[in-house]
Amino acid sequence: MKNEDSAGHISRREMLAGTAIAVTTLAITKVTGLEAGPAPQVVTPVVSAEVSFTVNGKVQKLEIDTRTTLLDLLREHLHLTGTKKGCDHGQCGACTVLVNGKRINSCLSLALQHESDSITTIEGLGTPEKLHPMQSAFIKHDGYQCGYCTPGQICSAVAVLEEIKAGIPSHASADLNAKVGFTNAEFRERMSGNICRCGAYSNIAEAAAEVAGA
């Protein structure tokens, strides 16, 4: 009877051992990819691409690394170093430029996103011989100290006045149905994304108020 049980039945130990071998074999097959199946497709990454847009009134056509930000293109490819790299995380506003008249943080925007756009940097707002009114006001009211954030501050201030003129409300607007006007509170709220570590905020507000005629 004992011999018949040994010959006709699998012991618990033998069952566990067999299960372990089967699971291990299946796992090795999955990991090594030895199971039958179609070969994976090879995806070739796009390393570079062409982009064309207008910068300060001049058409620019370049072939660039697809990962290039607008900030790096302006500084490293076009050598327009007035636009500054501060935090490189879109938190300080030093890299502010105007795209189709609206302000953006150029460090957060890929250059390829701006095909056919019109881009204006601090160099395109005015020249030493013919300053933009905002540039002149910054000089008059001493709206800077070290000057590192100044290009971004000026570009942003120019865009802020256009936003107010267009009637676009902000968080500081008390009545969304009323006409938006220039106030110190409105200007400060809209400029809150532009950091001046020297603390020239009051002078910057005075410069903008003069240009706005407030």
Side-chain angles (χ1 to χ4, degrees):
M1 187 71 177
K2 183 177 180 180
N3 291 337
E4 289 177 0
D5 290 343
S6 299
H9 296 82
I10 300 175
S11 68
R12 183 171 180 274
R13 183 187 299 275
E14 291 171 334
M15 182 184 72
L16 293 175
T19 302
I21 292 172
V23 171
T24 302
T25 302
L26 180 62
I28 292 174
T29 302
K30 290 293 185 183
V31 171
T32 59
L34 295 177
E35 72 277 12
Q41 294 183 347
V42 178
V43 178
T44 304
V46 178
V47 178
S48 63
E50 292 184 354
V51 64
S52 175
F53 42 57
T54 302
V55 180
N56 298 333
K58 183 178 180 181
V59 176
Q60 300 285 354
K61 295 182 179 180
L62 305 97
E63 183 167 340
I64 58 172
D65 187 307
T66 55
R67 300 164 296 177
T68 304
T69 63
L70 179 58
L71 172 60
D72 286 338
L73 182 143
L74 293 172
R75 290 181 57 83
E76 307 300 332
H77 293 258
L78 300 181
H79 308 294
L80 297 171
T81 55
T83 305
K84 298 297 189 285
K85 178 177 285 193
C87 64
D88 212 23
H89 287 78
Q91 297 174 349
C92 72
C95 67
T96 303
V97 298
L98 305 179
V99 177
N100 300 327
K102 297 181 179 180
R103 53 186 173 146
I104 69 164
N105 291 324
S106 59
C107 73
L108 295 182
S109 185
L110 290 174
L112 291 178
Q113 293 177 268
H114 298 288
E115 177 69 31
S116 301
D117 282 347
S118 177
I119 300 163
T120 304
T121 69
I122 188 67
E123 292 92 343
L125 280 180
T127 65
E129 295 76 22
K130 188 177 181 181
L131 295 174
H132 185 280
M134 189 66 73
Q135 292 172 314
S136 297
F138 263 65
I139 295 172
K140 177 181 177 181
H141 293 276
D142 198 20
Y144 55 87
Q145 288 187 41
C146 76
Y148 195 83
C149 74
T150 305
Q153 297 278 2
I154 291 176
C155 286
S156 195
V158 169
V160 162
L161 297 192
E162 291 302 317
E163 291 169 11
I164 294 175
K165 187 184 298 184
I168 301 173
S170 75
H171 182 70
S173 302
D175 186 353
L176 298 181
N177 294 317
K179 182 179 178 180
V180 180
F182 183 96
T183 65
N184 190 271
E186 276 284 352
F187 181 75
R188 285 176 177 270
E189 166 60 27
R190 294 170 188 266
M191 291 289 290
S192 59
N194 289 80
I195 307 302
C196 175
R197 291 177 175 84
C198 298
Y201 297 113
S202 296
N203 296 17
I204 292 171
E206 290 175 2
E210 178 177 303
V211 177

